[in-house]
């Protein structure tokens, strides 16, 4: 590019244009701005579409055509668009950032919003695969202007020259790319056609593809094949809703590779958005951010937009066409601005309304959906009390009475207890069910949040985290006389487990087959952690932590007085053997709870196991000696 100075007085410094290394800028655009060489086909289509859009604004009766052809090492695209004069070719094709669509340049401000990109930048980006770009163009605005050839190479140089009148008889533009060494794979006809269909299937003009050479005037090559496929499947008329669902399912299978569980219309006329969201047929992780397919004015912008829908809508893949959302500089994703935020919220509301419609009129389809994606609905409901109330009859939870909805469970329990871990629930659920204690497993994703929100929907319910005291109180007490008789045994048991920070209590509970139950809660765990920190701290921190010692309840080993094994152990005359047996009961109950073992717990388990082995072998030796 050239530089120029402006005139000024002797008191003012001269103003100069920036000097631009065109070769370096071409390298930046073609090798660093775009993620893949495949975008060059999009840029060719985009320039052609913008050119014919400008031509229609100038002459609504003009014949519109866009023809793409390819042979090994060469790609050609020809349009009947607005064309360029020699001066415009100099200005628009060699000035980065200037658009042929600007109203100030050519009086097309009224149609500016219909254009997709900037001609100069898009054409230069084709150097990602091309060593040479040749443009033959004739202006529709100036019928007297001669055809023009603009020829550029990847070293950053270009030439512009006028051609004879017969070089191009009709207004429009032909762009011819010659592949650079090593990039021939991107100009193979099958590859070019596939990329053209991917990017341009929803463009507003008929586009054809021909395999083989083209002379730039529409002749030569093989039989032309259509690229565009309009209207979009979600905008087509169908005889019945069922027929439409079948067509959408086929579209999803072709586009995303799966048959959807259901489809959701995404129609936001005010925001200029039309499309559909397909419900995944299998569960997916909430952490997985699906890539959505976004077309901008018919041109594919990206197929991995992860900011189009709210995070909670991870159970759908969407495809939309929009004319309002703003692309990033590379035009390969959406710019996250206020407009996108508003559209994202509106699309989320559409998914939410679909759920409400199913709940109100199609419970079977809702049940089928929730059987797969209840996690996504729970994620949404934890921020939406109204939706939680709507979904109460449907959302499944694991409870002490089996899997059921909150509405079914709260019909029998107005006081709800919950555990924060799956392991704790699985240990306590059978005992809780036998004693009428209503417990919900909140160890799964989002369940604890939903239970915390439940009283706002149902003020008559009381929801509390399960603690050792609540369970112990529900278990049947042992008669005072029996507990007094077993006082020495309980004293030995408590002494043995003192080092583990565990208390021992005696209760009678079902099922009889469970000899002991290990009960823990968050307060007890915090107290043990504080004690462990106190043991390993220096004198300063020991004083501080010691001052923080609370009266939090300890973990409890609840011995089942109904269990025959407990009765036999309590009657053992050997105090040392009784202690070893109690440690074994503690270890077994701890393993049943599936909690992580502390080093002290592992040591106790080893000691109890070896102690029992020693006692068993010693008894055998004694019996052999008596013989």
């Amino acid at each position: 590019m050239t530089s120029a100075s402006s005139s000024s007085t002797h008191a003012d410094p001269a103003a100069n244009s920036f000097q631009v290394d065109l070769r370096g800028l071409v390298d930046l655009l073609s090798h660093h701005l775009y993620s893949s060489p495949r975008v060059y086909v999009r840029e060719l289509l985009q320039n052609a579409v913008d050119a014919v859009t400008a031509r229609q604004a100038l002459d609504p009766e003009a014949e519109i055509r866009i023809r793409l052809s390819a042979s090994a090492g060469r790609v050609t695209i020809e349009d009947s668009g607005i064309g360029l004069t020699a001066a415009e070719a100099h200005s628009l094709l060699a000035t980065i950032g200037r658009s042929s669509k600007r109203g100030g340049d050519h009086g097309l401000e009224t149609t500016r919003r219909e254009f997709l990109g900037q001609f100069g930048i898009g054409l230069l980006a084709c150097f990602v695969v091309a060593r040479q770009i040749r443009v033959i163009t004739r202006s529709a605005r100036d019928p007297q202007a001669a055809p023009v050839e603009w020829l550029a190479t990847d070293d950053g140089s270009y030439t512009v020259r006028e051609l004879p009148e017969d070089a191009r008889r009709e207004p429009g533009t032909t762009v011819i790319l010659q592949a650079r060494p090593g990039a021939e794979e991107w100009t193979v006809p099958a590859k070019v056609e596939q990329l053209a269909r991917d990017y341009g299937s929803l463009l507003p003009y008929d586009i054809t593809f021909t395999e083989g050479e083209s002379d730039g005037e529409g002749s030569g090559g093989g039989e032309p094949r259509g690229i565009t496929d309009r209207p979009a499947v979600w905008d087509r008329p169908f005889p019945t809703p069922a027929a439409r669902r079948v067509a959408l399912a086929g579209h999803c299978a072709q586009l995303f590779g799966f048959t959807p569980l259901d489809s959701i219309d995404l129609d936001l006329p005010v925001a200029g958005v039309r499309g559909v969201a397909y419900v995944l047929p299998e569960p997916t992780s909430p952490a997985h951010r699906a890539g959505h397919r976004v077309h901008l004015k018919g041109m594919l912008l990206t197929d991995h937009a992860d900011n189009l829908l709210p995070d909670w809508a991870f159970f759908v893949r969407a495809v939309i066409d929009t004319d309002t959302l703003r692309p990033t500089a590379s035009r390969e994703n959406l710019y996250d601005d206020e407009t996108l935020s508003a559209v994202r919220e509106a699309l989320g509301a559409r998914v939410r309304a679909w759920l409400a419609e199913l709940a109100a009129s199609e419970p079977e389809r809702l049940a089928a959906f929730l059987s797969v994606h209840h996690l996504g609905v729970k994620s949404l409901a934890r921020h939406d009390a109204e939706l939680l109330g709507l979904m109460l009859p449907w959302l499944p939870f694991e409870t002490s009475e089996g899997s059921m909805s909150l509405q079914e469970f709260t019909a029998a329990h107005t006081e709800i207890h919950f555990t924060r871990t799956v392991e704790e629930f699985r240990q306590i659920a059978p005992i809780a069910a036998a004693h009428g204690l209503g417990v919900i497993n909140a160890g799964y994703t989002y369940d604890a949040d939903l239970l915390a929100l439940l009283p706002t929907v149902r003020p008559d319910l009381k929801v509390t985290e399960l603690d050792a005291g609540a369970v112990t109180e529900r278990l049947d007490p042992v008669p005072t006389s029996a507990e007094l008789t077993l006082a020495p045994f309980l004293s030995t048991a408590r002494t043995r487990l003192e080092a583990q920070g565990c208390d021992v209590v005696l209760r009678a509970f079902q099922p009889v087959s469970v000899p002991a139950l290990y009960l823990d809660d968050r307060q007890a765990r915090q107290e043990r952690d504080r004690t462990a920190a106190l043991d390993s701290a220096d004198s300063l921190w020991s004083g501080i932590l010691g001052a923080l010692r609370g009266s939090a309840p300890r973990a409890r080993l609840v011995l089942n007085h109904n269990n025959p094994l407990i009765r036999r152990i309590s009657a053992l005359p050997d105090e040392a053997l009784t202690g070893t047996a109690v440690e074994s009961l503690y270890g077994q109950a701890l393993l049943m709870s599936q909690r992580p073992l502390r080093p002290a717990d592992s040591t106790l388990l080893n000691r109890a196991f070896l102690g029992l082995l020693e006692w068993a072998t010693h008894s055998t030796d004694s019996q052999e000696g008596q013989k």
Side-chain angles (χ1 to χ4, degrees):
M1 296 187 182
T2 60
S3 63
S5 299
S6 61
S7 60
S8 61
T9 66
H10 66 280
D12 297 321
N16 296 278
S17 298
F18 286 105
Q19 298 298 309
V20 178
D21 178 358
L22 184 57
R23 185 170 186 174
L25 189 56
V26 166
D27 180 73
L28 175 66
L29 288 171
S30 62
H31 295 104
H32 301 288
L33 182 64
Y34 299 110
S35 62
S36 166
R38 71 197 302 266
V39 299
Y40 89 92
V41 174
R42 181 194 67 189
E43 299 299 341
L44 290 175
L45 292 173
Q46 189 163 283
N47 287 335
V49 167
D50 286 343
V52 297
T53 300
R55 177 74 182 276
Q56 277 202 324
L58 179 72
D59 179 9
E61 303 301 321
E63 179 186 358
I64 297 301
R65 65 180 180 276
I66 300 175
R67 296 166 177 161
L68 180 66
S69 64
S71 60
R74 174 175 167 141
V75 176
T76 302
I77 188 166
E78 183 255 340
D79 67 68
S80 59
I82 195 69
L84 299 172
T85 63
E88 291 167 352
H90 273 293
S91 174
L92 300 174
L93 298 182
T95 304
I96 302 303
R98 180 171 296 173
S99 170
S100 63
K101 285 78 71 173
R102 293 194 177 186
D105 292 332
H106 304 296
L108 299 176
E109 184 65 33
T110 58
T111 60
R112 182 178 177 184
R113 71 186 299 271
E114 301 300 325
F115 296 105
L116 298 172
Q118 292 181 316
F119 192 41
I121 289 180
L123 198 60
L124 290 175
C126 292
F127 278 119
V128 70
V129 299
R131 64 176 177 81
Q132 181 188 83
I133 301 175
R134 184 180 182 216
V135 178
I136 302 171
T137 183
R138 185 162 197 164
S139 175
R141 276 186 293 266
D142 185 359
Q144 305 305 315
V148 175
E149 177 195 70
W150 181 87
L151 184 66
T153 59
D154 58 1
D155 64 359
S157 63
Y158 76 94
T159 60
V160 177
R161 67 186 179 98
E162 292 189 348
L163 299 175
E165 283 292 323
D166 61 352
R168 183 178 180 95
R169 293 182 294 275
E170 299 294 330
T173 300
T174 300
V175 179
I176 304 167
L177 306 184
Q178 295 290 343
R180 65 164 63 236
E184 291 87 356
E185 63 174 299
W186 295 100
T187 62
V188 173
K191 186 71 171 179
V192 175
E193 183 177 9
Q194 179 260 319
L195 291 174
R197 291 183 187 279
D198 200 34
Y199 280 115
S201 62
L202 298 184
L203 287 172
Y205 304 105
D206 290 334
I207 300 172
T208 61
F209 174 82
T210 304
E211 184 174 341
E213 297 288 343
S214 173
D215 62 3
E217 290 290 337
S219 61
E223 187 69 22
R225 297 186 288 269
I227 293 297
T228 48
D229 184 23
R230 304 184 322 275
V233 64
W234 54 82
D235 283 330
R236 296 174 190 171
F238 293 96
T240 64
R244 186 173 189 270
R245 280 198 292 268
V246 169
L248 289 173
H251 176 252
C252 178
Q254 181 182 16
L255 203 60
F256 294 125
F258 65 86
T259 300
L261 197 64
D262 211 334
S263 57
I264 307 167
D265 282 319
L266 303 177
D267 185 9
L268 304 174
V270 175
V273 172
R274 286 281 297 158
V276 62
Y278 295 115
V279 180
L280 294 168
E282 297 177 350
T284 186
S285 168
H288 174 68
R289 302 193 71 180
H292 306 293
R293 192 174 174 91
V294 177
H295 296 258
L296 180 61
K297 302 184 180 89
M299 180 73 76
L300 177 66
L301 183 71
T302 179
D303 56 7
H304 54 266
D306 60 4
N307 54 358
L308 179 65
L309 291 175
D311 289 344
W312 55 259
F314 54 82
F315 50 85
V316 299
R317 293 283 300 276
V319 53
I320 67 163
D321 187 23
T322 176
D323 59 9
T324 59
L325 298 179
R326 177 183 170 191
T328 57
S330 65
R331 296 196 294 281
E332 293 186 276
N333 214 330
L334 293 172
Y335 189 79
D336 213 334
D337 55 11
E338 292 182 358
T339 302
L340 177 58
S341 179
V343 167
R344 181 165 52 237
E345 184 177 344
L347 292 177
R350 185 65 198 92
V351 176
R352 181 186 177 281
W354 170 78
L355 285 171
E357 290 166 8
L358 289 188
S361 59
E362 299 187 70
E364 291 184 359
R365 286 175 65 196
L366 178 64
F369 166 76
L370 289 177
S371 67
V372 179
H373 293 298
H374 58 272
L375 204 58
V377 179
K378 286 182 176 181
S379 174
L380 172 57
R382 66 197 174 115
H383 300 299
D384 190 333
E386 183 180 349
L387 182 64
L388 175 59
L390 183 69
M391 292 289 111
L392 273 180
W394 307 102
L395 288 178
F397 286 81
E398 186 177 7
T399 79
S400 52
E401 297 178 7
S403 180
M404 60 180 63
S405 70
L406 282 179
Q407 182 161 298
E408 292 173 309
F409 189 71
T410 56
H413 301 279
T414 56
E415 184 176 0
I416 298 174
H417 300 276
F418 67 91
T419 64
R420 288 191 178 271
T421 66
V422 175
E423 294 77 16
E424 187 177 7
F425 173 81
R426 288 176 180 169
Q427 185 197 21
I428 198 63
I431 291 121
H435 292 269
L437 189 66
V439 182
I440 292 179
N441 181 3
Y444 295 119
T445 307
Y446 307 132
D447 284 4
D449 293 336
L450 290 179
L451 291 174
L453 185 64
L454 187 57
T456 64
V457 179
R458 291 279 304 276
D460 57 311
L461 299 177
K462 180 182 179 182
V463 179
T464 58
E465 183 175 353
L466 185 70
D467 59 54
V471 176
T472 306
E473 290 169 5
R474 286 299 188 101
L475 304 181
D476 297 333
V478 176
T480 304
S481 58
E483 191 158 4
L484 287 174
T485 302
L486 298 177
F489 162 69
L490 293 174
S491 177
T492 299
R494 288 165 182 150
T495 301
R496 277 301 185 104
L497 298 183
E498 177 65 31
Q500 311 305 124
C502 181
D503 197 6
V504 179
V505 296
L506 188 65
R507 291 290 186 273
F509 57 86
Q510 301 294 327
V512 174
S513 59
V514 177
L517 177 65
Y518 181 82
L519 295 177
D520 199 5
D521 54 38
R522 186 167 48 181
Q523 288 181 309
R525 291 191 290 272
Q526 289 173 345
E527 181 63 18
R528 284 200 306 276
D529 291 343
R530 190 205 59 76
T531 301
L534 177 62
D535 293 340
S536 61
D538 58 26
S539 58
L540 173 62
W541 282 108
S542 293
I544 295 174
L545 292 170
L548 295 176
R549 180 183 296 275
S551 58
R554 307 166 76 193
R556 298 184 184 188
L557 181 68
V558 184
L559 303 178
N560 188 358
H561 189 250
N562 292 338
N563 182 268
L565 178 61
I566 294 297
R567 296 198 179 193
R568 288 196 297 270
I569 291 175
S570 66
L572 289 172
D574 187 335
E575 184 176 334
L577 179 57
T578 300
T580 300
V582 168
E583 288 181 340
S584 300
L585 288 169
Y586 170 84
Q588 188 265 350
L590 194 61
L591 290 173
M592 290 295 294
S593 72
Q594 301 183 39
R595 289 179 174 81
L597 296 180
R598 300 170 294 165
D601 294 328
S602 298
T603 301
L604 177 142
L605 279 170
N606 289 331
R607 182 174 66 242
F609 177 71
L610 294 175
L612 288 177
L613 281 179
E614 183 178 349
W615 179 82
T617 55
H618 176 71
S619 299
T620 302
D621 290 343
S622 299
Q623 292 172 5
E624 290 292 332
Q626 291 175 1
K627 290 181 180 180

